[in-house]
Structures are given as C-alpha cells and as structure tokens.
Amino acid sequence: MHNHEPAGYNCPFCFLLAGGETPLDSPRDIVLRTARATAFTASRWWPNNHGHVLVIPNAHHENLYDLPSKDGHAVHDVVREIAIAMRATYGCGGVSTRQHNEPPGGQDVWHYHVHVFPRYGGDNLYGSRLLSEQATGEQRWIYTDKLREYFDLPPGRETGSAAR
C-alpha cells in the first residue's frame, strides 16, 4: 500500500540482526536485544548528538503502516529503556525520539526504525545537518559500551535478559 522497498532489497538492518558486519554496522553495536526488538548505536551522527541509537523490530516491517501492534509495543518498550539508559550514562539533559515513513517523510532505510537522540541544552539538533562522515566502530563503541554496561551486557553478548 505505502511501500517503497525495491524488489530484491537487501535490508541492512536484517543483515545486522543475522550477524552481518559492515563498516557502518556491527553486532558489536547492539546495545539491547529482546525477543521482538533490537537497539544499536547508529553510525550516522549529528554534530552535537553523538551516540544516538536506532531501535528496530526484529521482524522486517518497512514502515509504521506495516508494523503489527506487538512489534510496535516491543519497539516502544526498548525505546523507553534506551532513553532511560542514555539519561543515566551520557550526561545528557534529555532525549528526543523520531521516526520517518516514506521518502517524503524522510525514510531512507526500508525497515521500520526509531531514532533515540541524547539531548543537551543548546545542541541545535533540529537546526543542524547530519555529519558527512560516518562514525567509526571505535567512535560508536564508546557510547555502545556505556549502554551495554548499564544493561549489564558484556561486549561479546548481543541479547538482553530472557525476561525482556
């Protein structure tokens, strides 16, 4: 109905969930994984909001229109956990979330995802542009490690507790 995923699309988020690795994403970036949703440190950053996190459903759904309620609730629960963890570990003053659907809405990856941004006074998130260079693994893992430590998730493990 409102889908834009081209035929034969190789979803980068599904690739990551399956253990795939690229310079942009690695299983090492995963902060929290539950039965239905996964959070990982994003490689695309804004100038004053480093370490933002993407939260995705583990099942492939292109956008909000396709997202089943159970997966939407699971994503929202993980978004909330990530927001609390950011406040506890990043020293930020708040968080912002945003989600995009279809090209006119700003969507450019055809797998539903929610951005969770650390916010700081005067950070100008909405008035700034995405940085042109991607964050390296070493840059991402500074933030990933803080969040993984908050969730008591050792670096070699990619899943949260069975209770999640």
Side-chain angles (χ1 to χ4, degrees):
M1 171 156 89
H2 301 288
N3 298 97
H4 300 276
E5 178 180 307
Y9 180 66
N10 292 316
C11 177
F13 295 165
C14 289
F15 182 71
L16 174 65
L17 290 173
E21 187 165 354
T22 72
L24 302 180
D25 300 301
S26 160
R28 175 74 175 78
D29 295 314
I30 295 174
V31 173
L32 181 65
R33 188 170 187 168
T34 67
R36 297 182 92 79
T38 297
F40 60 96
T41 307
S43 60
R44 298 174 71 190
W45 288 0
W46 277 255
N48 301 310
N49 307 89
H50 295 185
H52 99 274
V53 171
L54 297 177
V55 181
I56 62 174
N58 293 340
H60 182 82
H61 305 290
E62 181 175 321
N63 53 41
L64 183 63
Y65 316 121
D66 296 339
L67 188 67
S69 293
K70 285 184 180 181
D71 288 337
H73 292 294
V75 167
H76 179 78
D77 289 346
V78 171
V79 165
R80 180 180 176 278
E81 288 191 50
I82 293 300
I84 291 167
M86 277 184 178
R87 284 285 285 128
T89 63
Y90 283 22
C92 57
V95 298
S96 287
T97 62
R98 67 184 188 198
Q99 193 276 319
H100 309 279
N101 296 283
E102 301 184 270
Q107 184 178 14
D108 60 4
V109 176
W110 310 122
H111 188 125
Y112 179 85
H113 56 286
V114 177
H115 298 259
V116 184
F117 293 94
R119 296 302 305 272
Y120 306 90
D123 66 14
N124 197 31
L125 173 65
Y126 296 112
S128 62
R129 293 186 180 262
L130 186 65
L131 294 173
S132 59
E133 292 190 21
Q134 309 284 346
T136 65
E138 290 76 23
Q139 291 168 320
R140 295 188 310 266
W141 299 334
I142 292 167
Y143 297 92
T144 301
D145 290 347
K146 289 178 182 186
L147 296 172
R148 290 170 74 91
E149 184 177 319
Y150 177 86
F151 292 116
D152 288 327
L153 194 60
R157 201 168 128 218
E158 288 110 26
T159 58
S161 70
R164 292 193 200 284

